[in-house]
Amino acid sequence: MNKDSKIYVAGHRGLVGSAIMRKLQQEGYTNIITRTHKELDLTSQAQTQEFFEKEKPEYVFLAAAKVGGIHANNTYPADFAYINIMIESNVIKASYDYGVKKLLFLGSSCIYPKLCPQPIKEEYLLTGPLEKTNEAYAIAKIAGLKMCQYFNRQYGTKYISVMPTNLYGPNDNFDLETSHAFAALLRKFHEAKINNKPYVEVWGTGTPRREFLHVDDLADAVVYLMNNYDENEPLNIGTGKDITIKELAGLIKEIVGYEGEIKFDTTKPDGTPRKLLDVSRLHATGWKHKIELREGIQSTYEWFKGNWK
Ligand code: GFB
């Protein structure tokens, strides 16, 4: 990308899209185009085609998606499958029709089989059954990733895909029903502290292991890869380190400064037992994460206190 290349960030208000915007602006990219959901419904093929015909972006970051935590994924599978497949199909096809030079597709680490060997290598994709709580989202993301590869194979396009691990940071969704674990726990411990609640409820057994990447690191990685990665093979993005949900809860509790108890609600699902990405292919490109978890929790908590309402 040149500093004046026309770049479309799809989903620029979300956790990932807003971080990509911050990164591009910091690096001096001057020609970024966006549309709010209200201005452009990417599930509409007609609207998407019209937008691409008018704007003709050169580069596309495809960060628009319906996302959510374990409960939302488990409760609204039709929406997760339908909306994501529509957005991907429309944006990828319009990118081809209107000559986009390069597109970066955001997949997810939940596309891998539920019980795959750890850490998870990119080649484990489609080697076993998926985790049921997020199967619909995973199927949709696999479809998007594969579609990028098929367009590359058939039409010689340059569409790359990445699989980020569990993300956190500013502009996350802090709704307790639909959010991911990180955001929910940060809010729960904060509110318990403010309201002097005797305990905080953590879903599941606390034993599942997850890897957490700050979204500013993800944004740094995807801008780097847009400029430096041209392979047809998708790439994991993570830190290469994981912790249990119980340990995460303990860390957040300590950073928030909450002194009550933690209770586990085992009527809630655990999801996949472990999800740790193998990041050797990513490191071979020359990129490595910079924000460690403790410092990431601290800065996200500062952001949360100043911005969340
Ligand atoms: O982050 P999370 O919702 O999704 O949950 P996944 C991770 C783990 O944290 C599960 C537990 O074992 C949850 O039971 N957990 C504990 C909580 N307390 C809470 C809480 O208050 N809220 C939530 N949400 N979880 C997601 C997928 O799976 O991974 C998405 O559903 C996405 O598709 C994402 O791909 C990366 O890590 O299990």
Side-chain angles (χ1 to χ4, degrees):
M1 294 182 291
N2 296 319
K3 297 295 178 194
D4 62 350
S5 297
K6 197 165 195 182
I7 304 166
Y8 171 44
V9 179
H12 72 289
R13 283 180 162 176
L15 172 69
V16 171
S18 64
I20 295 175
M21 293 294 290
R22 288 195 296 277
K23 184 73 203 166
L24 289 171
Q25 282 156 356
Q26 253 172 33
E27 293 205 351
Y29 291 94
T30 53
N31 197 359
I32 307 167
I33 47 170
T34 57
R35 287 292 185 281
T36 62
H37 195 165
K38 216 171 144 199
E39 290 163 346
L40 169 61
D41 175 5
L42 290 171
T43 66
S44 156
Q45 186 180 30
Q47 286 185 33
T48 309
Q49 286 276 327
E50 197 183 317
F51 165 73
F52 272 77
E53 184 179 11
K54 174 161 178 262
E55 292 291 351
K56 298 202 174 53
E58 294 171 88
Y59 295 87
V60 173
F61 289 92
L62 182 36
K66 178 166 181 65
V67 299
I70 193 164
H71 180 68
N73 268 271
N74 208 14
T75 314
Y76 309 109
D79 295 351
F80 276 82
Y82 173 75
I83 294 171
N84 287 312
I85 289 173
M86 291 300 282
I87 292 175
E88 296 156 9
S89 301
N90 290 338
V91 173
I92 292 170
K93 178 66 163 53
S95 294
Y96 171 67
D97 290 342
Y98 295 100
V100 165
K101 290 181 183 158
K102 193 164 176 182
L103 173 146
L104 185 141
F105 174 71
L106 269 299
S108 163
S109 62
C110 74
I111 66 175
Y112 289 111
K114 176 184 172 104
L115 299 174
C116 52
Q118 307 282 323
I120 307 171
K121 290 183 192 295
E122 286 86 350
E123 55 262 34
Y124 299 161
L125 184 64
L126 293 171
T127 55
L130 298 163
E131 155 62 26
K132 282 288 170 217
T133 54
N134 59 33
E135 187 190 83
Y137 180 71
I139 294 273
K141 287 290 178 181
I142 293 170
L145 179 154
K146 284 286 172 191
M147 198 149 41
C148 287
Q149 291 184 320
Y150 299 145
F151 271 76
N152 293 343
R153 193 171 92 194
Q154 187 177 337
Y155 296 119
T157 49
K158 246 202 267 178
Y159 301 161
I160 61 172
S161 297
V162 296
M163 277 89 69
T165 193
N166 287 38
L167 301 168
Y168 68 93
N171 296 324
D172 207 341
N173 165 20
F174 291 92
D175 177 283
L176 296 180
E177 285 292 301
T178 57
S179 69
H180 290 95
F182 186 104
L185 293 177
L186 193 68
R187 176 173 166 188
K188 284 185 193 176
F189 282 108
H190 174 74
E191 289 184 340
K193 179 183 158 188
I194 302 291
N195 301 321
N196 284 317
K197 255 193 81 179
Y199 67 89
V200 162
E201 211 160 75
V202 176
W203 292 358
T205 60
T207 57
R209 300 186 70 88
R210 294 289 185 275
E211 175 185 8
F212 294 96
L213 179 75
H214 193 287
V215 74
D216 285 347
D217 268 340
L218 175 80
D220 189 52
V222 296
V223 171
Y224 174 80
L225 295 170
M226 187 67 114
N227 286 323
N228 294 286
Y229 188 75
D230 282 325
E231 307 294 319
N232 198 26
E233 294 308 316
L235 210 52
N236 287 339
I237 304 185
T239 63
K241 294 174 229 172
D242 65 349
I243 61 169
T244 65
I245 293 299
K246 187 178 176 188
E247 287 165 336
L248 175 73
L251 257 179
I252 295 179
K253 177 183 167 187
E254 181 198 322
I255 289 165
V256 167
Y258 171 69
E259 289 178 350
E261 301 289 311
I262 293 178
K263 280 191 186 172
F264 292 95
D265 176 1
T266 53
T267 64
K268 295 286 196 308
D270 268 346
T272 202
R274 191 172 187 202
K275 203 164 39 169
L276 173 65
L277 294 177
D278 183 309
V279 284
S280 26
R281 196 184 278 177
L282 175 67
H283 287 177
T285 69
W287 190 89
K288 191 176 180 297
H289 77 283
K290 295 178 192 73
I291 306 169
E292 295 303 338
L293 185 56
R294 176 176 283 274
E295 131 193 37
I297 298 174
Q298 275 159 347
S299 63
T300 306
Y301 187 44
E302 287 311 311
W303 181 90
F304 177 83
K305 285 189 288 185
N307 296 277
W308 186 75
K309 44 205 170 307

